[in-house]
Amino acid sequence: MLLSCVLVLSGSLGMLVQAAPDAAPLAQAGKVNLNQPQAVQRALHEQLREWYRVPNRVGGLSKSGVDCSGFAYLTYKEYFGIRLPRTTRQQAQVGMGISKADLRPGDLVFFRTGFVRRHVGMYTGKGRFIHASTSRGVTESRLDNPYWRRNYWKAVRVRL
């Protein structure tokens, strides 16, 4: 059985991320380039239209229900050819930390929504992000919404 691994640089330290045994290569031909913000923005809005209001379901990875990390996982895999780890906790450790002021479409945004609970979404630009909300299903929200502003934790840029 072949396991693929990816070295993700975060600051001056690297982190080894082990992908699933059946994982495809990190980047695939024909996928949206994360370095092209307008193309990324279009891809994310397309994904939002396709998944809009799909209900939140812990552990879900289908249109009958998806959780926040599953939605990010599926979006990155389908549109960008990148296999993120499956959980929010693991996703928060991948990539390079960036400031809120430096956000670009496709960056992952993280929130502390409970004592140990975390939430992830994908920045779409103009102060907005898409995510699988526990109350509204897959939707787009504003970072300056009082709830999200109060619970904002960090942002991560995933790059090849």
Side-chain angles (χ1 to χ4, degrees):
M1 174 181 344
L2 177 64
L3 289 177
S4 61
C5 295
V6 178
L7 180 62
V8 180
L9 298 179
S10 178
S12 60
L13 299 175
M15 182 184 127
L16 194 59
V17 177
Q18 189 170 10
D22 63 339
L26 189 60
Q28 299 171 348
K31 297 296 181 180
V32 176
N33 183 336
L34 280 168
N35 292 316
Q36 297 176 335
Q38 290 179 331
V40 171
Q41 199 171 41
R42 281 191 303 273
L44 292 174
H45 283 115
E46 181 179 317
Q47 183 75 327
L48 174 62
R49 279 189 298 279
E50 186 177 328
W51 286 76
Y52 188 67
R53 297 289 183 179
V54 168
N56 187 294
R57 190 180 86 214
V58 175
L61 283 173
S62 73
K63 295 220 175 131
S64 64
V66 66
D67 62 18
C68 64
S69 61
F71 184 59
Y73 171 84
L74 290 169
T75 301
Y76 262 74
K77 179 181 165 194
E78 180 177 339
Y79 284 94
F80 309 124
I82 295 173
R83 290 221 185 217
L84 290 177
R86 178 57 184 88
T87 68
T88 304
R89 182 179 308 274
Q90 293 168 326
Q91 290 172 359
Q93 297 173 15
V94 173
M96 178 180 69
I98 56 169
S99 73
K100 197 185 244 187
D102 291 329
L103 283 169
R104 293 195 310 219
D107 290 339
L108 298 176
V109 288
F110 294 90
F111 305 87
R112 289 187 172 120
T113 56
F115 185 68
V116 293
R117 292 195 57 186
R118 302 293 181 261
H119 185 74
V120 63
M122 293 160 285
Y123 187 70
T124 57
K126 299 182 182 177
R128 297 179 169 276
F129 67 103
I130 61 172
H131 60 117
S133 163
T134 56
S135 61
R136 296 170 54 206
V138 174
T139 191
E140 185 171 47
S141 298
R142 297 184 54 86
L143 286 172
D144 64 1
N145 168 291
Y147 177 80
W148 298 115
R149 184 175 60 234
R150 181 176 60 251
N151 291 297
Y152 182 84
W153 174 30
K154 70 179 193 172
V156 168
R157 181 162 297 146
V158 178
R159 292 294 181 253
L160 302 178

